[in-house]
Amino acid sequence: MKKLFYIFLFIISVISCTNKKQNLIGSWKFTEIKNTSNSLEIPQSTFNSNLVLSSNGNFLLFDDSIIIHSNLSDSLFNANNNETSIYYGNYSLNDNESVITLHVLNYNVNDELQFKLKSNDGKNILLQPINYKDKLLKYTCQDYNDTNQSKFNYLSSDLNNWRIKSKQKESNNAIKIRVKSAIEFSINYLKYHKDNGTEAYISFLQPLPFKFASNGIAFKREHENWDNIFFDANDAEKANTLLLNSFKSTARIPDNLRNKPLDTNLYILKEVLKNLD
């Protein structure tokens, strides 16, 4: 009887932990920062952040606040270039301590972002950065869907490993695969939001060297963050040449797409991908 009781408690604890993690799945948009002490306030207008968590254990975070940057060691990307930073990796939830850990893969090895989960009512979560215990960050759920259940699963590892800096020189074919994967991510990301009727944040398409606009895409010849995912400047130049040549070969945008920004950008990205083959 006692054995059955312990088995029951174990099952309940597993279900409870699973439910807490399930309640985190989705896309969360930063909506408010709160001070819990008299420390220096950070202007809310300068804080821009969005976090996506998937049931496959992967996450994507775009953020431009000093709170996030200061939690990392010297990063792969330049944090002072006035661009939003993109963080990709795996996340875990310590149920006993209610701590969410984001294990960042596209910066230095072993970098982590940790937050105390202060509350989660299913619609809003309050996160307390471990290194900023006098700050509470409120995120509101924008999309309850699990990307892992979508045919356009842009949070799969296969579509995000291109973000991780190469540790060695790559062959021409390996560079092409990395470039194609970046384009495939972008296509799946935009298709996901078109399919679900949800807002797409172009910041998630960084660090691709593209400038997105309502009437099309422009190629940016200088983009430090994009170059930095390659082993060296020579490999980065090969990737840029591949992309630029594919971009130049893009067919004319059909007239019926010209007043549809999302469809226009999707069309161009598909053309670039086709030209890479």
Side-chain angles (χ1 to χ4, degrees), residues 188-203:
N188 277 269
Y189 178 78
L190 294 180
K191 280 186 173 180
Y192 172 89
H193 289 285
K194 181 180 178 181
D195 191 55
N196 286 280
T198 49
E199 183 178 1
Y201 296 94
I202 296 301
S203 293

Side-chain angles (χ1 to χ4, degrees), residues 80-93:
N80 299 310
N81 61 0
N82 296 320
E83 290 193 34
T84 302
S85 292
I86 302 295
Y87 305 90
Y88 160 70
N90 316 120
Y91 74 96
S92 60
L93 172 65

Side-chain angles (χ1 to χ4, degrees), residues 5 42 53 72 111 229 243:
F5 175 73
I42 299 176
L53 301 171
L72 295 172
D111 265 335
I229 70 175
L243 259 184

Side-chain angles (χ1 to χ4, degrees), residues 49-78:
S49 182
N50 190 284
L51 172 66
V52 185
L53 301 171
S54 173
S55 65
N56 67 2
N58 289 348
F59 79 88
L60 268 180
L61 167 71
F62 83 70
D63 186 276
D64 59 9
S65 76
I66 190 173
I67 287 182
I68 300 298
H69 290 313
S70 65
N71 275 267
L72 295 172
S73 56
D74 291 337
S75 59
L76 166 64
F77 300 150
N78 179 7

Side-chain angles (χ1 to χ4, degrees), residues 144-187:
Y144 292 96
N145 293 310
D146 180 9
T147 60
N148 198 41
Q149 302 301 316
S150 170
K151 59 183 177 180
F152 306 120
N153 180 17
Y154 64 87
L155 258 181
S156 69
S157 298
D158 288 344
L159 291 181
N160 284 278
N161 285 337
W162 62 273
R163 300 179 182 276
I164 303 173
K165 184 178 177 67
S166 177
K167 296 180 180 179
Q168 59 187 13
K169 289 284 291 182
E170 293 183 294
S171 66
N172 291 344
N173 187 56
I175 291 172
K176 178 185 284 190
I177 290 173
R178 183 184 285 267
V179 171
K180 288 179 66 175
S181 181
I183 301 299
E184 288 170 346
F185 164 84
S186 302
I187 291 171

